[in-house]
Amino acid sequence: MKLSEVKKILNADVIVGEEHLDLEVKTAFGADLMSDVLAFAKAGSLLLTGLTNSQVIRTANILDIAAIILVRGKKPSTETINLAKEFKIPLLTTKYILFETAGRLYAKGIVGCLEKVENNSVLD
Amino acid sequence: MKITVCSTENSLYQDSFDIEGGNFNKAGIVSTRIKSILKQMGLPADVVRKCAIVSYESEINVVSYAKKGVINLTVNPETVLIEVVDEGPGIPNIDLAMQQGYSTADQKIREMGFGAGMGLCNIKNYSDIFHISSEVGKGAHLLMTINIKQ
Ligand SMILES: Nc1ncnc2c1ncn2[C@@H]1O[C@H](COP(=O)(O)OP(=O)(O)O)[C@@H](O)[C@H]1O
Ligand SMILES: [Mg+2]
């Protein structure tokens, strides 16, 4: 699905990357913990998060995340916005909570960038 | 705590990058640099990705816990070596620090999205070879090897 469709489904505002709404995305990962994102998120996925600091953009850049969706109506700082511009990472914000954001995208065909973790990766 | 990681003779690239402890505004700049250097060298995407992740979690740890540090990047024909040496309190109990979920991170680190005790596990998981050592009161030393050919 195109990022413009994601924007429509989530009634989102585009903060950075209005010119990249043609981008195709198929998968997503949602977390407020960047170490979780680094452990599991795949290149080309959407990142759904409630964090708004600059490490979100840096993490997305390290992983080649396609676009970032800030949930719960979060507004990023100027520094975060500038970094997103510098790295050319689309940054959107939606009023929906993380659960609703994920659910609405899933219902329209976006799937997790992984379905579940391996047996040993949680308890070892 | 000087360790010679390889002979530089065959290495295709070698450079060092300084990291400032405590400066969260700059945390991640070095890893971003490293990522773009490796990408420009034409290394496979999964190798670049692993190197970027281990560099980034290491950089975050230096910024979070140490006074200052350096990342030494060496690209050999078959491996990428990422060595992180810092000056700081060091790690008193490495087994404990390596446990997923163990963390001494403060509120500031948590606000940045870190401090859940997963960093060193992530670094180990994305490395093909991982070494960690520390001298309490002096600093910590990490050495990660990422294979270019699987
Ligand atoms: N470079 C370092 N210097 C001193 N202590 C460190 C360093 N790196 C890690 N530690 C210690 O090990 C713990 C676990 O580190 P890590 O797995 O990266 O998780 P986190 O940073 O989320 O706490 C840290 O909370 C800290 O106590
Ligand atoms: Mg850490």
Side-chain angles (χ1 to χ4, degrees):
Chain A
M1 141 190 338
K2 282 198 165 49
L3 201 51
S4 53
E5 180 73 13
V6 171
K7 169 186 148 81
K8 222 164 81 193
I9 293 166
L10 299 176
N11 203 1
D13 291 326
V14 180
I15 302 170
V16 174
E18 197 71 58
E19 68 280 17
H20 296 305
L21 295 183
D22 277 351
L23 212 83
E24 278 288 332
V25 286
K26 294 190 177 76
T27 59
F29 187 81
D32 284 355
L33 179 62
M34 291 305 112
S35 286
D36 260 341
V37 179
L38 288 160
F40 301 117
K42 302 283 193 297
S45 294
L46 288 171
L47 173 59
L48 320 179
T49 187
L51 282 198
T52 60
N53 66 69
S54 58
Q55 295 310 322
V56 172
I57 312 294
R58 294 200 184 278
T59 300
N61 181 59
I62 288 288
L63 297 174
D64 293 321
I65 290 293
I68 301 166
I69 315 288
L70 304 178
V71 301
R72 305 192 286 273
K74 292 286 170 81
K75 295 276 185 290
S77 65
T78 321
E79 194 206 343
T80 300
I81 295 172
N82 288 340
L83 207 55
K85 283 182 187 158
E86 184 187 328
F87 293 146
K88 299 189 172 62
I89 301 175
L91 182 62
L92 286 74
T93 181
T94 177
K95 291 203 168 63
Y96 290 113
I97 60 169
L98 182 57
F99 184 86
E100 283 289 331
T101 303
R104 279 162 199 266
L105 292 177
Y106 195 90
K108 294 287 167 77
I110 298 284
V111 295
C113 65
L114 82 169
E115 211 171 293
K116 51 182 174 180
V117 298
E118 305 294 322
N119 276 342
N120 55 3
S121 62
V122 177
L123 292 174
D124 67 7
Chain B
M1 213 184 304
K2 265 263 170 278
I3 297 184
T4 310
V5 292
C6 65
S7 75
T8 52
E9 278 168 57
N10 306 324
S11 73
L12 308 170
Y13 183 92
Q14 183 156 48
D15 208 347
S16 297
F17 307 90
D18 291 326
I19 302 167
E20 218 178 293
N23 191 344
F24 284 97
N25 291 328
K26 288 193 183 165
I29 290 180
V30 164
S31 322
T32 303
R33 252 316 272 302
I34 288 174
K35 185 193 172 204
S36 70
I37 289 165
L38 297 178
K39 201 173 161 189
Q40 263 177 31
M41 288 183 71
L43 295 186
D46 63 318
V47 173
V48 175
R49 177 185 169 81
K50 287 177 185 177
C51 293
I53 294 171
V54 306
S55 303
Y56 187 45
E57 285 279 14
S58 303
E59 184 176 1
I60 292 287
N61 278 355
V62 173
V63 174
S64 300
Y65 307 112
K67 272 210 301 282
K68 62 174 181 172
V70 61
I71 297 188
N72 298 314
L73 172 69
T74 308
V75 184
N76 293 319
E78 296 189 344
T79 55
V80 180
L81 303 179
I82 297 167
E83 183 187 38
V84 188
V85 188
D86 72 47
E87 289 173 31
I91 305 173
N93 186 337
I94 287 179
D95 288 341
L96 192 59
M98 289 304 303
Q99 274 178 29
Q100 187 166 323
Y102 174 82
S103 178
T104 62
D106 62 18
Q107 187 56 29
K108 192 156 181 225
I109 298 166
R110 291 176 199 274
E111 278 166 13
M112 304 305 269
F114 294 90
M118 286 180 68
L120 291 171
C121 297
N122 274 350
I123 295 168
K124 188 179 173 197
N125 288 340
Y126 281 108
S127 301
D128 290 299
I129 307 172
F130 172 73
H131 282 296
I132 178 168
S133 60
S134 176
E135 207 174 319
V136 175
K138 290 241 166 94
H141 179 264
L142 308 184
L143 177 56
M144 286 71 74
T145 307
I146 285 114
N147 296 335
I148 294 173
K149 293 188 192 94
Q150 299 310 303

